[in-house]
Each structure stands twice: as structure tokens, then as C-alpha cells.
């Protein structure tokens, strides 16, 4: 069983469209994250949820809206997609939000905005 | 400000030789340091961490890292490189203000047969 799974793996869409990425973890972790990795491989945290509550919301356009229906799921919805949103989006989870231990990453969702 | 630096974009090593991937950090308190590896088109995988204790930390796949407080470094090492070690390696330090990880820019490790 995959520990952190994201769908879809690939997304190709036009500017202005809305898209969602789903993430699920079966590790029983309390904390989940969304990261963005750009074309230069820089990794930047976007959001962090602990037990369904938003605890980190970095400087991200409000076109990006995370939603955590339960602590095993964290979805990312993006409105009015722009060219600069093209990136690989990674979901991750950890046992707690203090980052003393391992982060478990999904395989990534590659978003291409045309 | 807390930060982490990986001074090398790329490191080339011949198979069988020892490898070192460098990382330096700047934090206000005691550092929580991590190494992760990313294989092509995959998510990041945890290799090892330093929180406290022995300065030499052993991790997955035969990797180890040496914490050096005076040099504020946490270099990743392996005694004998394998071609399969070729990947992108990220160093990270925990930001004490919000407990989030601050990531280095990554170092591409290429092991040549």
C-alpha cells in the first residue's frame, strides 16, 4: 500500500481553468502538507494542516485553497490557473507538526498550464 | 535569519569512491537537521536526521552525515558510491519560529561507472 498517494499524477490544462489535486495518507499521521517544487527544483512549503486545522499558510495566492475533510486527506484546489502555477506539487505527512521526525512524501502531481 | 545552504549544484564522483555532499546552516538555537533524496520523477525520501547526540549520524542506503557545530555544517557522506546513488539530495533545517523545514536548493549527485 502506498503511504502517501496523490492524484492525478499529471495535469495539463489551459490558463484560467480550475483544477484539484487530491492526497491521502494511510500512516495515521496528524499533519499533512502541500509543497511546490518549481522547474529549478526549489522546494517551498505552501500549507500545513494538523488534525484538519490549518497551521501554516505561506505567502500563496488565494487562488490556492486547501481543504482537509479529515486528517487522512488534504486536497488542493487551484482557481484561475496561471502559467506560473506550472510546477510539481507534493503532498507530505508527518506524525506531528514539530518536524522532529520524518516527512513522508507522495510521488508528486505535475501541473502544466498552457 | 535561519537558513541552509548547499554550495554545490552538482557533485560528480566515480563509482566506488567516497562521496560528500555539503550543507551548511544558520539557526538561532539548537539545529534540527535533515537529509532527503529525490530520484527522478519521484517524491523525496528521508535519509537521516540530527537532533541531538552523536555527531555522526547513520541513515538509509549506507549514507551518514557529520554534524559539526563549530563549522555549522552537516555534510552527507558515503564511503563507496554506487551508480544508483545518482539523484538530487536536499538538506533541510527546522525553523524554530514555526517548526517548518527550510530547504536547501538541492545538489545533483552523479555517480559515473
Amino acid at each position: 500500500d502506498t503511504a502517501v498517494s496523490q492524484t492525478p499524477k499529471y495535469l495539463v490544462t489551459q490558463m484560467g481553468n480550475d483544477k484539484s489535486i487530491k492526497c491521502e495518507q494511510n500512516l495515521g499521521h496528524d499533519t499533512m502538507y502541500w509543497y511546490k517544487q518549481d522547474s529549478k527544483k526549489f522546494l517551498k512549503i505552501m500549507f500545513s494542516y494538523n488534525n484538519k486545522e490549518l497551521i501554516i499558510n505561506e505567502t500563496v495566492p488565494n487562488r490556492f485553497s486547501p481543504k482537509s475533510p479529515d486528517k487522512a486527506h488534504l486536497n488542493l484546489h487551484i482557481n484561475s490557473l496561471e502559467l506560473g502555477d506550472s510546477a510539481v506539487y507534493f503532498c507530505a505527512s508527518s506524525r506531528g507538526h514539530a518536524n522532529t521526525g520524518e516527512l513522508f512524501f507522495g510521488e508528486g502531481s505535475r501541473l502544466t498550464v498552457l | 535569519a535561519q537558513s541552509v545552504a548547499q554550495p554545490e549544484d552538482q557533485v560528480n564522483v566515480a563509482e566506488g569512491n567516497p562521496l560528500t555532499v555539503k550543507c551548511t546552516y544558520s539557526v538561532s538555537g539548537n539545529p534540527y537537521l535533515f537529509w532527503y533524496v529525490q530520484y527522478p520523477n519521484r517524491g523525496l525520501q528521508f535519509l537521516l536526521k540530527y537532533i541531538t547526540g552523536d555527531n555522526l549520524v547513520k541513515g538509509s542506503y549506507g549514507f551518514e552525515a557529520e554534524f559539526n557545530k563549530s563549522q555549522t555544517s552537516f555534510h552527507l557522506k558515503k564511503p563507496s558510491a554506487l551508480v544508483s546513488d545518482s539523484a538530487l539530495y536536499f538538506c533541510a533545517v527546522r525553523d524554530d519560529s514555526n517548526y517548518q523545514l527550510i530547504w536547501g536548493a538541492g545538489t545533483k549527485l552523479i555517480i559515473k561507472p
Side-chain angles (χ1 to χ4, degrees):
Chain A
D1 271 349
T2 305
V4 181
S5 57
Q6 304 178 222
T7 54
K9 196 171 171 68
Y10 299 98
L11 277 159
V12 180
T13 189
Q14 300 286 331
M15 261 179 20
N17 283 352
D18 304 339
K19 287 293 176 189
S20 291
I21 308 171
K22 295 186 176 181
C23 179
E24 175 181 3
Q25 54 95 3
N26 62 7
L27 298 165
H29 287 165
D30 290 331
T31 309
M32 295 184 73
Y33 310 80
W34 278 112
Y35 277 89
K36 178 180 179 181
Q37 187 175 46
D38 65 20
S39 58
K40 292 191 162 98
K41 306 296 186 186
F42 289 125
L43 204 57
K44 181 178 160 55
I45 187 163
M46 301 173 70
F47 302 103
S48 173
Y49 272 73
N50 187 56
N51 276 319
K52 301 193 299 174
E53 287 193 26
L54 181 67
I55 55 170
I56 293 288
N57 183 355
E58 290 296 309
T59 310
V60 175
N62 57 16
R63 299 182 294 104
F64 290 78
S65 49
K67 191 167 285 187
S68 182
D70 55 62
K71 73 174 193 176
H73 295 85
L74 180 61
N75 303 323
L76 183 66
H77 187 76
I78 317 170
N79 289 327
S80 304
L81 279 156
E82 299 178 358
L83 293 176
D85 298 332
S86 294
V88 182
Y89 293 85
F90 287 100
C91 179
S93 73
S94 64
R95 187 164 291 137
H97 67 281
N99 267 314
T100 57
E102 179 178 351
L103 281 178
F104 291 78
F105 282 82
E107 296 285 274
S109 298
R110 182 178 294 274
L111 172 65
T112 302
V113 182
L114 303 174
Chain B
Q2 299 177 94
S3 64
V4 63
Q6 293 181 245
E8 302 151 318
D9 289 338
Q10 184 169 307
V11 171
N12 298 302
V13 178
E15 188 177 27
N17 282 2
L19 69 88
T20 299
V21 182
K22 294 180 181 175
C23 173
T24 59
Y25 66 90
S26 173
V27 295
S28 51
N30 291 323
Y32 286 41
L33 295 155
F34 303 82
W35 276 102
Y36 283 78
V37 60
Q38 185 178 26
Y39 297 102
N41 300 312
R42 303 293 300 275
L44 278 75
Q45 295 176 38
F46 172 82
L47 279 177
L48 49 82
K49 68 180 179 185
Y50 172 84
I51 294 179
T52 187
D54 287 342
N55 290 343
L56 188 63
V57 179
K58 293 191 184 299
S60 308
Y61 311 123
F63 283 92
E64 57 192 26
E66 188 169 10
F67 171 66
N68 187 317
K69 189 171 182 177
S70 62
Q71 296 184 9
T72 61
S73 67
F74 189 56
H75 300 332
L76 182 70
K77 301 183 181 193
K78 187 171 182 180
S80 177
L82 300 171
V83 172
S84 57
D85 292 330
S86 298
L88 188 57
Y89 290 80
F90 289 95
C91 182
V93 66
R94 192 183 79 162
D95 183 339
D96 279 346
S97 67
N98 61 11
Y99 296 150
Q100 295 310 303
L101 295 184
I102 301 168
W103 297 86
T107 298
K108 186 173 183 180
L109 178 64
I110 298 176
I111 310 299
K112 298 185 177 175

